[in-house]
Amino acid sequence: MTMSAKFLAVFLPCFLAGCVSLDPHYSRPENAVVAANPAGEAYRNLPRAASHYREVGWQDYVQDPRLRQVVAMALDNSRDLREAVASVKSAHAQYGEQRANLFPTLSADVSGTRSRALTGEGNQTALGNSYSAEGSVSSFELDLFGKNQSLSRQQYETYLGTLEGARSTRLTLLYNTVDYWLQLAADRSNLEIAKETAESARESREVTRKRLQNGVASMVDVASADTTYQSAQADVASYTTLVAQDKNALELVVGHRVPDNLLPQNIETIGQALRDVPAGVSSEALINRPDVLQAEHNLKTANASIGAARANFFPSISLTASGGVGSADLSSLFKNGAGIWSFSPSISLPIFKGGYNVSYLNYTKAQKEYYVAAYEKAVQTAFQEVADALARKGTLNDQLTRQRNNVAASQTYYHLADLRYQNGVDTYLNALTAQRTLYTARTSLVSAEQAYYQNLNTFYKVMGGGTALQESAVKM
């Protein structure tokens, strides 16, 4: 091999790929939080290890068949998810555009010219033909200092960050769908309780009026009974509105009308709508949440930007070259044509830009500091959300048990107080108090049951549920 051929064989790959990378060494920020199970009274009944929520698909997590169909509808029709997927596709295309700068642009051209001109000898004319075929490389920048590689890495990390953002959007969509479905179930239960209480209050009011006619009760008793009835009727109107608004909110997040047969009747009849998976704080779970991964990709993007900014201080070399054949006869163009070529290298050395390169480098460094802080905050937020959900989980079962016992006791209290009033042993005030106590206890139990399901739903979201599975990947 000649010296020039050896030179090209050794250095051409470096020219194409970039011999030097000026990106700073990347290392993931650590010790933002101590990822250990928090201690305290609220966490006494919790497992010591976290399950792999990322490997639990939503089809396995959502147990109620009606809710499962509603979630599937949301994933198919949500406009928010469509926007997120479109952003992923856009970022992937931009990465492809930037990566194309790592390779030379090759083009081929075949041209022909036929001309007639005076020869200068009388009126004689001469006919001329010329044909050429060329291949060319147009203004290819040799990536000696890795600038294009850094820009390509920057765009690639932007794409990955957008992808994680879409996964986070998908997980939020799942969470909101389940949350609105549960809210509808709870408000339907409250509406039933309000209607039952209103009917009970109406009957009590009628009984009290008859007792007044018989001279046993007073107008105070009748007025008290009427206040309970009117208050319950007001709650009926309020919960009727909430049920309608809950359905509207659910259909908005689903992006489609939800059939009535897929809606919950009340919260007492939904059973084990969500799978109860053991949970705990896990460092692996925290750093692999979609929002935390997105923050890390943003940090890597800033890291690559520094490398591109550093490369601006070094000269850039561009090559423009072409080669081919030319002939006066088209038939002999590729046989006996004469070789033609051109080679035009150029070098550009930055001398003075008014401090632009220095300012831009300082900007990229400041951006990296910003994204380091943003990443650490994302990890801390993840830890706080998991710890809050754990604290709620640690006390929910006890609260549910106590609240069910409270409802049972309130029902006994109201039954006995009403009997004592009807038998003339006690005043109507005690019966009225017992009725209101029972109403409050029943609505509080609905709130506790809703909180139980919402806690399961929250855990699936804050632990990054399902994001490790192929079926949970964003559709491209």
Side-chain angles (χ1 to χ4, degrees), residues 70-92:
V70 174
V71 171
M73 290 173 58
L75 295 176
D76 288 337
N77 296 288
S78 171
R79 273 54 176 181
D80 290 338
L81 188 56
R82 291 181 184 178
E83 289 179 2
V85 172
S87 297
V88 172
K89 293 179 179 179
S90 176
H92 188 266

Side-chain angles (χ1 to χ4, degrees), residues 202-243:
R202 186 192 65 79
E203 293 175 355
S204 296
R205 185 180 64 173
E206 295 302 320
V207 170
T208 306
R209 283 177 176 174
K210 292 180 180 179
R211 290 171 62 84
L212 174 65
Q213 294 173 0
N214 295 327
V216 180
S218 66
M219 283 297 299
V220 174
D221 294 338
V222 174
S224 297
D226 191 53
T227 59
T228 302
Y229 172 73
Q230 298 299 339
S231 177
Q233 286 288 65
D235 286 345
V236 168
S238 177
Y239 284 120
T240 300
T241 300
L242 289 177
V243 166

Side-chain angles (χ1 to χ4, degrees), residues 136-183:
S136 62
V137 177
S138 302
S139 299
F140 173 60
E141 182 178 353
L142 300 181
D143 200 20
L144 296 178
F145 302 100
K147 178 180 179 180
N148 288 335
Q149 285 281 1
S150 294
L151 292 175
S152 181
R153 277 192 293 273
Q154 174 186 347
Q155 194 60 54
Y156 180 65
E157 293 297 337
T158 299
Y159 155 66
L160 292 180
T162 306
L163 180 61
E164 294 301 335
R167 286 175 174 160
S168 182
T169 298
R170 190 175 191 272
L171 192 56
T172 301
L173 171 64
L174 172 63
Y175 171 84
N176 288 338
T177 302
V178 174
D179 186 62
Y180 287 133
W181 195 83
L182 293 173
Q183 185 64 53

Side-chain angles (χ1 to χ4, degrees), residues 105-155:
T105 301
L106 303 177
S107 60
D109 178 67
V110 178
S111 62
T113 303
R114 182 179 178 83
S115 63
R116 185 178 70 173
L118 295 174
T119 62
E121 299 177 1
N123 292 325
Q124 297 182 4
T125 60
L127 297 176
N129 298 322
S130 65
Y131 302 93
S132 65
E134 296 182 12
S136 62
V137 177
S138 302
S139 299
F140 173 60
E141 182 178 353
L142 300 181
D143 200 20
L144 296 178
F145 302 100
K147 178 180 179 180
N148 288 335
Q149 285 281 1
S150 294
L151 292 175
S152 181
R153 277 192 293 273
Q154 174 186 347
Q155 194 60 54

Side-chain angles (χ1 to χ4, degrees), residues 33-52:
V33 294
V34 179
N37 281 312
E41 187 67 19
Y43 309 99
R44 65 186 185 277
N45 297 322
L46 296 174
R48 295 295 92 188
S51 297
H52 296 290

